[in-house]
Amino acid sequence: MSEDRATRGSVRTITDLARLAGVSPGTVSRALAGKSLVNTKTREKIEAIAREHGFRPNQMASGLRRQKTGVIGVVIPLGHDTRQQISDTFFMTLLGFLADELTLEGYDLMLRRVVPKDDADWLDRFIGSGMIDGVIVIGQSDQFDRIEDVADGYGPMVVWGNHAEGQRHCVVGTDNRLGGRLAAERLIAAGARRLAFLGDTTAIEFAARFAGAQDVAQRMGLAPIIELPTHLSPERASDEIARHLDAVKGRVDGIFAATDTLAALCLTALRTRGVAVPDDIRLIGFDDLPIASHTVPPLTTVKQDIAAGARGLVDLLLRRLAGEQTESLVLPPQLVVRQTA
Amino acid sequence: MSEDRATRGSVRTITDLARLAGVSPGTVSRALAGKSLVNTKTREKIEAIAREHGFRPNQMASGLRRQKTGVIGVVIPLGHDTRQQISDTFFMTLLGFLADELTLEGYDLMLRRVVPKDDADWLDRFIGSGMIDGVIVIGQSDQFDRIEDVADGYGPMVVWGNHAEGQRHCVVGTDNRLGGRLAAERLIAAGARRLAFLGDTTAIEFAARFAGAQDVAQRMGLAPIIELPTHLSPERASDEIARHLDAVKGRVDGIFAATDTLAALCLTALRTRGVAVPDDIRLIGFDDLPIASHTVPPLTTVKQDIAAGARGLVDLLLRRLAGEQTESLVLPPQLVVRQTA
DNA sequence: GTGAAAGCGCTAACAC
DNA sequence: GTGTTAGCGCTTTCAC
């Protein structure tokens, strides 16, 4: 280990190493890449020298030459809610799983957070940078059309989000509409009749959840579900939720929150108002984040399988990288009944 | 937009563009880089063509030539707790802020999750890859010595973690020992006398928190603080906490949890056992994550300023990139009194 | 099985 | 101001 350090620096390129080994750069390249036939003794000698000097071939040069980088871009567009959506627990968890899956496949991960409002060109810029072999977009935000535009001309892209009939970009995501139906059905089964939806329906995933819930309300002959828009960040959402609750006081007995985070905030706000959950108001979340099982009472919610989502994203991307055409992957949500509905 | 798409592909290199503009590649490079003097008309013409064809210079080629990549590596070593520590809320939040700060400074972020146990060479490999201009290590885990080794030979590295007297690598982090003291003092002020520490003290940050608490216990003439080691992932920790609580039943009246996540789990476990918090047992966490204000009762904790941490990491790294020597940055923790202690 | 040579796409002297 | 040229470090034919 310490001799690594002492000699590091003397061998910076494959050519340096070649000189030391008394062979040509080409041979070193072949030996280190582990491909082509190279004499075993030559290979061992080269590997020994490389190890001794802590030499590692420059990935940029290699990438340039081979026209591939070994890097997958992961981009999170912050559309409708600029500030720090990147710390959203769901996306961060998905990112963690993505990192695992990509590492497993030998790819590096380049993370980019973009604000489409300030940078209309965000997706083309990333793709055109030459730094990535493919891109995973986490969340369609309000950028559905922009993504559609790009999908026609660029193959290796997979998006986490909502699937719409006839869309052109390959998407992996939960069946949000079905999830919305499950949520509304559960609220109603728990005795709710006057429903509200907590969350910003300009986000397409949320719109689908809302639509699914509305389907059920209509089918059951209930009043239309009231929309209570909020931001996603806890700081802003807390105030908004408080105001909403005061505004609809006594007119709502079931709340479907677009995410568990919002549901948890809502639960706190309800408690401070002395509203009993689930007796006065039933509450259901979405995601099944760790927090859901630790609220008081524990949160009933609609689970998304994040690990499966990450696996799906990477799997589809690799197949597209290999030139395959791929269908979108729609994952089934799952109702998790705890104690708030 | 749609004409972008139609013509995209015809202009792939700076040379293609040069031909179209009737100038040399060098001029295109200069025009697009915005440096050196280029005739205004020429520049505008080149920019127009670039825009029209959605052309963007290849960053790998540029990086290779300029010997810098515009990418900062961010690596999370998963030492003592392999599985999915990357989804740890604290690290993920820090990562979010880092992404913001680096973007602001014009750098891209390459994320790598490594398991040092399976890959002793993790840090050298990343640094030597030629893909990054500098590296930020999130968490020392149990890799303190490995990081020290590297620090001697590689300048542009900054680490999030604990500062120890005389260490050679540049670190940004909270004063964990002081944080531990604040926590223990608060528990004692709230009436606790028989303290326990919940968390794995082989992680150096946690060891410092524990040591700080132990300082106070000793100074106050209390019994030594009992160590209750746990993993970090909620799944494994839940069981361990349950077992610990049963084992120390009646012998502990104050618990200092190494993180808010552990504290939240502990709170749930205490409730299911009918233990009153803070009356029977006082509880304090560490971090002040969003969850801390949403437990029931809300969690008293020691706050780390994550945003300031991220800013510090990036600031120091940029200065090191510029060749400066930098001292470590130790941030003061802050006691946040809520209702569990 | 190995060497020689030609670039990958870009930038930075150095001329003019 | 702009063109020309020589690489950055690597991979990959094509010879032998």
Side-chain angles (χ1 to χ4, degrees), chain B residues 9 91 147 185 271:
Chain B
F91 283 172
I147 298 170
E185 282 165 0
R271 185 195 337 281

Side-chain angles (χ1 to χ4, degrees), chain A residues 77 79 116 120-124 127 137 139-154 157 159 162 164-171 202-205, chain B residues 1-2 4-5:
Chain A
D121 213 26
W122 61 277
L123 190 46
D124 290 291
I127 290 170
V137 180
Q140 291 146 322
S141 184
D142 53 5
Q143 297 291 302
F144 190 91
D145 295 336
R146 194 78 264 282
I147 297 170
E148 281 286 89
D149 281 354
V150 169
D152 297 328
Y154 183 75
M157 173 173 77
V159 179
N162 196 65
E165 210 51 56
Q167 77 178 48
R168 285 161 294 164
H169 66 265
C170 178
V171 78
T202 62
I204 193 164
E205 296 97 321
Chain B
M1 282 293 145
S2 60
D4 264 29
R5 219 126 297 291

Side-chain angles (χ1 to χ4, degrees), chain B residues 13 18 27 48 66 83 105 131 135 144 146 150 160 181 183 192 197 222 231 247 258 263-265 274:
Chain B
T13 75
T27 301
R66 297 173 32 217
R83 190 60 204 154
E105 300 290 347
M131 293 281 283
V135 66
F144 190 92
R146 193 79 266 280
V150 170
W160 173 269
R181 281 201 286 270
F197 179 83
L222 304 184
H231 288 81
L265 294 174

Side-chain angles (χ1 to χ4, degrees), chain A residues 5 8 56 59-60 71 84 100 108-109 111-113 121 124 129-131 149 265 271 294 296, chain B residues 5 8 56 59-60 84 100 108-109 111-113 121 124 129-131 149 265 271 294 296:
Chain A
R5 219 128 296 291
R8 153 85 61 78
R56 257 166 289 273
Q59 282 200 58
M60 292 226 114
V71 181
Q84 278 312 119
D100 287 351
D108 267 311
L109 186 167
L111 178 66
R112 211 178 258 201
R113 159 208 177 282
D121 213 26
D124 290 291
S129 71
M131 293 281 283
D149 281 354
L265 293 174
R271 185 192 339 282
H294 295 293
V296 180
Chain B
R5 219 126 297 291
R8 153 86 58 80
R56 257 166 289 273
Q59 281 200 59
M60 292 228 118
Q84 279 312 120
D100 287 351
D108 267 311
L109 186 166
L111 178 65
R112 211 177 257 203
R113 157 207 179 284
D121 213 27
D124 289 290
S129 70
M131 293 281 283
D149 280 354
L265 294 174
R271 185 195 337 281
H294 296 295
V296 180

Side-chain angles (χ1 to χ4, degrees), chain A residues 3-25:
Chain A
E3 82 192 288
D4 264 29
R5 219 128 296 291
T7 51
R8 153 85 61 78
S10 48
V11 177
R12 308 209 53 71
T13 75
I14 226 168
T15 313
D16 295 341
L17 180 35
R19 199 177 321 110
L20 272 188
V23 296
S24 77

